[in-house]
């Protein structure tokens, strides 16, 4: 199985290689060349002058194509993976919502079956449990019925149940949250601060004990607060001040341009991961939808390119796809295409610990590749050397 990609502008993503060539054998990149090369017996993909970049890696995603990872089926997992692959995502971390323990365990079961069956969608990089250990005051669209404090008896059972958890988000100021972070660190699971009212002192202690990522920065998270006359730095300021990674919902709605620019200015492209945080309505027409499981999820309304609670007081997840994140950073935040791609590829790969095989176009890594035009519209998605999506609309 040999493939050669020619006639594209390669985004490595540390530089452009114009008219570059990528050589692929058995799903692995074996060469990045600055000119066309002989590669006998290979299939040739003509990039037609488009950009050729690493596939996008989405660290935080709940659904798409009408499905949610908590729907309770293998089919839902596969359909979400296939839907987002059409928008350039080649790897993702399926994410749960706050729920009862039994529902989480069941979702982990479906994850494992879906992971084994996933042949035509974005690859899965383990599960992200978002909650249920959150601050009630910062619940956002998380169902308050299921929010609780960390309980070692419960999380030890969950950790013993499945080896598929690679990330877990919690509020660090809750009783038991530091112990929980230490335990995640021990298990090699990425711990993230989320849905939190923490002040700097809480976040510092959390950071020192395993929490290295801020979940959807600015969303459901404390900023500067006052207690009587005195000001306290919140989680946002802590994420800026400490050497932490941040992820941002760069759909162009959750964060306005000045905040995107501020985050980029302070953290830079090597500390920022672009995430969709997409719910089931991603890749679907606007209108009514459900956040979380069909059985006991929350009714939401999708309008203005985002999901909202019915009373419109809060966003209820995004309907973004990965191509839109990159487009937003370029068009709204005035970030270079190289840096925008990096925040969707190399940086999330490093944060997830898969940078040895994903996130950049270099020899030895998986041939997860996306080809897109000047408007960052996806033309072709390739996973491990195999084309799994091809835009059938003829180019004008
Ligand atoms: Zn989420």
């Amino acid at each position: 199985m040999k493939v050669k990609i020619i006639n594209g502008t390669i985004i490595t993503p540390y530089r452009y290689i114009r008219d570059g060539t990528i050589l692929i054998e058995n799903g692995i990149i074996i060469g990045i060349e600055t000119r066309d090369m002989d590669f006998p017996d290979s299939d040739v993909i003509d990039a037609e002058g488009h950009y050729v970049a690493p596939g996008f890696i989405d660290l935080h995603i709940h659904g798409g194509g009408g499905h949610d990872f908590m729907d309770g089926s293998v089919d839902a997992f596969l359909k979400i993976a296939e839907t987002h692959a059409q928008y350039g995502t080649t790897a993702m971390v399926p994410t749960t919502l706050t729920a009862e323990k039994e529902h989480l365990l069941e979702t982990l079961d479906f994850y494992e079956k879906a992971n084994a069956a996933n042949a035509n969608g974005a690859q899965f990089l383990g599960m992200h449990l978002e909650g249920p250990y959150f601050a009630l005051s910062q619940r956002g669209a998380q169902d308050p019925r299921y929010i609780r404090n960390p309980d070692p008896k419960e999380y030890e059972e969950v950790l013993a149940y499945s080896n598929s958890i690679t990330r877990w988000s919690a509020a660090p100021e809750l009783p038991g949250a530091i112990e929980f972070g230490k335990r995640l660190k021990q298990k090699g699971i990425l711990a993230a601060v989320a849905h939190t009212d923490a002040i700097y002192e809480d976040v510092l202690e959390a950071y020192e004990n395993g929490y290295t990522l801020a979940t959807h920065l600015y969303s459901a998270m404390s900023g500067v607060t006052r207690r009587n006359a005195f000001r306290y730095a919140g989680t946002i300021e802590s994420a800026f001040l400490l050497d932490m990674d941040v992820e941002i919902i760069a759909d162009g709605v959750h964060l306005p341009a000045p905040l995107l620019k501020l985050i980029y200015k302070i953290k830079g492209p090597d500390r920022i991961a672009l995430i969709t945080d997409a719910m089931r309505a991603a890749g679907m027409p606007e209108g009514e939808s459900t956040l979380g499981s069909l059985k006991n999820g929350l009714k939401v309304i999708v309008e203005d390119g985002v999901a909202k609670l019915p009373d419109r007081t809060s966003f209820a997840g995004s309907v973004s796809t990965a191509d839109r994140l990159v487009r937003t950073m370029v068009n709204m935040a005035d970030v270079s295409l190289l840096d925008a791609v990096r925040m969707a590829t190399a940086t999330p790969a490093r944060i997830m610990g898969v940078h040895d095989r994903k996130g950049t176009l270099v020899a030895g890594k998986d041939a997860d590749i996306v080809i897109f035009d000047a408007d960052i519209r996806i033309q072709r998605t390739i996973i491990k050397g195999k084309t799994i999506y091809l835009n059938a609309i003829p180019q004008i």
Side-chain angles (χ1 to χ4, degrees):
M1 263 299 291
K2 293 163 82 174
V3 180
K4 176 168 87 162
I5 305 174
I6 58 162
N7 191 26
T9 296
I10 297 171
I11 300 178
T12 67
Y14 292 94
R15 65 156 166 154
Y16 294 112
I17 303 175
R18 289 184 175 80
D19 273 322
T21 297
I22 301 178
L23 309 180
I24 298 162
E25 194 163 353
N26 297 326
I28 303 291
I29 298 167
I30 61 163
I32 303 282
E33 312 290 342
T34 52
R35 57 188 174 83
D36 196 359
M37 300 276 293
D38 264 352
F39 197 40
D41 309 317
S42 62
D43 291 340
V44 177
I45 294 173
D46 184 345
E48 296 174 344
H50 295 313
Y51 291 107
V52 181
F56 303 141
I57 299 173
D58 191 351
L59 300 184
H60 186 154
I61 175 166
H62 298 271
H67 302 272
D68 188 286
F69 289 117
M70 298 192 77
D71 279 350
S73 76
V74 169
D75 189 55
F77 273 84
L78 300 181
K79 289 280 166 50
I80 297 164
E82 287 164 25
T83 299
H84 283 275
Q86 296 178 17
Y87 298 94
T89 301
T90 56
M92 56 169 59
V93 185
T95 300
T96 61
L97 284 162
T98 286
E100 283 165 343
K101 182 187 71 193
E102 289 68 29
H103 194 179
L104 295 175
L105 297 183
E106 179 196 279
T107 306
L108 289 163
D109 284 338
F110 284 115
Y111 171 87
E112 268 150 48
K113 288 181 194 135
N115 192 34
N118 185 11
N120 299 304
Q123 295 187 300
F124 299 131
L125 301 176
M127 289 281 312
H128 167 207
L129 302 193
E130 188 177 8
Y133 311 135
F134 285 152
L136 204 54
S137 50
Q138 293 282 7
R139 64 185 174 276
Q142 301 274 348
D143 193 328
R145 287 175 295 172
Y146 306 122
I147 288 177
R148 48 198 184 261
N149 288 342
D151 171 5
K153 200 167 146 285
E154 181 180 62
Y155 65 68
E156 288 298 346
E157 188 186 334
V158 176
L159 290 171
Y161 187 81
S162 171
N163 288 322
S164 298
I165 302 162
T166 50
R167 169 175 176 190
W168 203 325
S169 290
E173 74 277 22
L174 299 178
I178 297 303
E179 214 46 52
F180 179 54
K182 282 184 195 166
R183 189 71 181 102
L184 295 178
K185 175 91 180 156
Q186 255 175 25
K187 297 273 290 180
I189 296 169
L190 174 63
V193 298
H195 293 269
T196 165
D197 257 330
I199 58 170
Y200 175 74
E201 288 69 15
D202 301 319
V203 181
L204 177 62
E205 193 184 359
Y207 173 71
E208 289 166 347
N209 287 284
Y211 292 85
T212 56
L213 171 67
T215 298
H216 45 52
L217 191 70
Y218 278 101
S219 296
M221 178 178 285
S222 50
V224 175
T225 51
R226 269 176 62 170
R227 298 178 187 179
N228 299 319
F230 295 95
R231 281 189 186 80
Y232 291 82
T235 309
I236 297 163
E237 294 74 31
S238 307
F240 285 146
L241 191 53
L242 298 169
D243 201 16
M244 286 176 84
D245 297 312
V246 302
E247 61 170 28
I248 56 174
I249 308 169
D251 61 352
V253 181
H254 278 75
L255 297 170
L259 288 184
L260 292 173
K261 290 179 184 183
L262 176 67
I263 298 165
Y264 177 75
K265 180 175 179 175
I266 296 176
K267 299 303 285 188
D270 295 322
R271 283 286 181 203
I272 301 168
L274 309 182
I275 56 156
T276 64
D277 197 10
M279 46 83 74
R280 73 173 70 243
M284 300 286 283
E286 297 204 337
E288 284 187 5
S289 188
T290 305
L291 178 70
S293 79
L294 287 174
K295 211 166 51 207
N296 42 15
L298 298 173
K299 290 282 164 236
V300 299
I301 178 148
V302 178
E303 60 182 19
D304 306 324
V306 68
K308 302 173 186 170
L309 294 181
D311 66 2
R312 297 180 168 84
T313 55
S314 174
F315 294 143
S318 96
V319 295
S320 191
T321 49
D323 59 325
R324 181 169 152 192
L325 307 175
V326 175
R327 213 158 34 241
T328 299
M329 292 312 288
V330 171
N331 294 340
M332 260 179 73
D334 300 331
V335 167
S336 74
L337 180 60
L338 275 187
D339 278 0
V341 167
R342 219 153 101 196
M343 292 187 278
T345 59
T347 304
R350 196 262 308 152
I351 291 172
M352 241 17 245
V354 297
H355 49 301
D356 56 329
R357 56 197 170 92
K358 294 189 186 299
T360 51
L361 298 182
V362 300
K365 293 204 186 180
D366 293 347
D368 296 351
I369 295 168
V370 62
I371 300 177
F372 54 80
D373 67 15
D375 294 326
I376 314 167
R377 302 287 171 189
I378 306 303
Q379 305 304 315
R380 186 191 285 261
T381 306
I382 298 167
I383 295 180
K384 292 206 171 159
K386 183 178 131 191
T387 294
I388 58 157
Y389 170 72
L390 186 58
N391 184 354
I393 302 165
Q395 299 299 300
I396 303 156

